[in-house]
Amino acid sequence: MKPRFPRAQPKERVVPSGAILPFPILFSSPQALVIDKPAGLPVHPGPRDGPSVEDWFPLMSRRRDGPWLAHRLDTDTAGCLAIALRKQTLLAMQTCFASGQARKTYWAVVEGVPDESGEIDQPLRKVSSPTSGWKMELHPSGQAARTSWRRLGTDGHISWLELTLHTGRTHQARVHCAALGTPILGDPVYGTRTPDLSMLHLFSRRLELPLAVPIAATASPPAHMLTALARCGFRETLQPQNGSLLAPS
């Protein structure tokens, strides 16, 4: 695989003195960070000119090169997001993701009650139309995509699932859950978004990367998922989602 170097943080972006990161740090070393990305925050700038994770790169490192996003999360998906602070670490992290060595565990709350556990191995491809934009679909000619699931709880109407993504395709968890007949709550593309469920009930729960210095991080459920998770039997004290002040390297 040819190494990819995402663009480094433009130095013209200036974070005000005394500012703190608007998201928790779940793992920190001189080589890498894992942050708890909030739902609704893009990882990089988009056409709407709103804030993104990259806007906060100056607080993460004072080096002339980097930081870099090691992978991506959808804007609506919360949870563990890995950021490289060194170029060699970026290459090692990219290799982990590309080779399937990265362990990516997600939690989702879905409509209905699937089997207690199972696996869906269905390739995905991107399709688009002038009227509805783009989305992913199951298709034999698509890229390989494999997801395992385990049902952690249910109230008989909705279910709390642990999803292990063995590949990293766009919208993989969302499409595969919908293909099971149990779309993720709050998903307007592959399910149904209603006024009382206006946010996607999916987050990256845990990320593990077997590097020379192993990376492991676990995120707490975002606030908007707690009511649905509680219906399915989840119990955990919500941790404060305050920003984190990071000493730049």
Side-chain angles (χ1 to χ4, degrees):
M1 174 182 175
K2 184 178 180 181
R4 292 181 296 106
F5 293 97
R7 62 181 178 274
Q9 168 64 27
K11 296 304 178 183
E12 62 268 25
R13 288 181 186 160
V14 178
V15 177
S17 176
I20 63 172
L21 297 176
F23 33 70
I25 299 295
L26 303 174
F27 172 91
S28 177
S29 77
Q31 290 76 38
L33 302 173
V34 178
I35 69 168
D36 187 357
K37 187 189 84 66
L41 179 67
V43 296
H44 52 73
R48 298 182 182 178
D49 295 326
S52 72
V53 170
E54 287 188 353
D55 291 330
W56 301 95
F57 276 2
L59 280 185
M60 300 179 192
S61 177
R62 288 179 177 158
R63 292 170 61 89
R64 295 179 62 85
D65 60 336
W68 297 275
L69 295 165
H71 64 130
R72 302 287 190 272
L73 287 180
D74 292 342
T75 296
D76 293 338
T77 303
C80 298
L81 178 69
I83 296 168
L85 302 180
R86 301 288 189 272
K87 190 169 292 185
Q88 289 304 312
T89 303
L90 172 66
L91 293 173
M93 294 167 88
Q94 288 180 333
T95 298
C96 274
F97 284 108
S99 64
Q101 296 179 71
R103 182 171 177 81
K104 298 167 290 183
T105 304
Y106 286 68
W107 279 5
V109 181
V110 302
E111 300 176 28
V113 184
D115 292 341
E116 289 187 4
S117 63
E119 181 176 287
I120 180 167
D121 189 350
Q122 294 284 345
L124 300 175
R125 72 171 185 177
K126 185 176 182 179
V127 293
S128 60
S129 73
T131 55
S132 58
W134 69 270
K135 65 177 184 177
M136 304 299 290
E137 69 171 9
L138 304 179
H139 197 276
S141 67
Q143 292 181 300
R146 184 164 63 96
T147 304
S148 300
W149 82 87
R150 184 165 64 101
R151 195 178 74 221
L152 301 181
T154 184
D155 69 353
H157 301 283
I158 61 174
S159 299
W160 160 28
L161 303 185
E162 178 185 84
L163 306 170
T164 299
L165 275 59
H166 303 285
T167 50
R169 309 306 177 201
T170 301
H171 292 182
Q172 177 176 324
R174 297 166 64 179
V175 180
H176 278 177
C177 283
L180 293 173
T182 55
I184 297 174
L185 297 185
D187 190 337
V189 179
Y190 308 103
T192 303
R193 178 174 286 180
T194 61
D196 60 327
L197 289 172
S198 60
M199 298 181 71
L200 186 68
H201 280 50
L202 172 72
F203 83 105
S204 175
R205 170 64 171 178
R206 185 162 175 83
L207 178 64
E208 299 174 62
L209 300 173
L211 304 180
V213 177
I215 293 175
T218 302
S220 295
H224 73 270
M225 288 182 60
L226 290 176
T227 298
L229 283 169
R231 284 176 54 185
C232 298
F234 172 76
R235 297 290 182 270
E236 181 176 270
T237 302
L238 179 62
Q239 298 299 314
Q241 298 294 299
N242 296 329
S244 302
L245 181 60
L246 189 70
S249 59

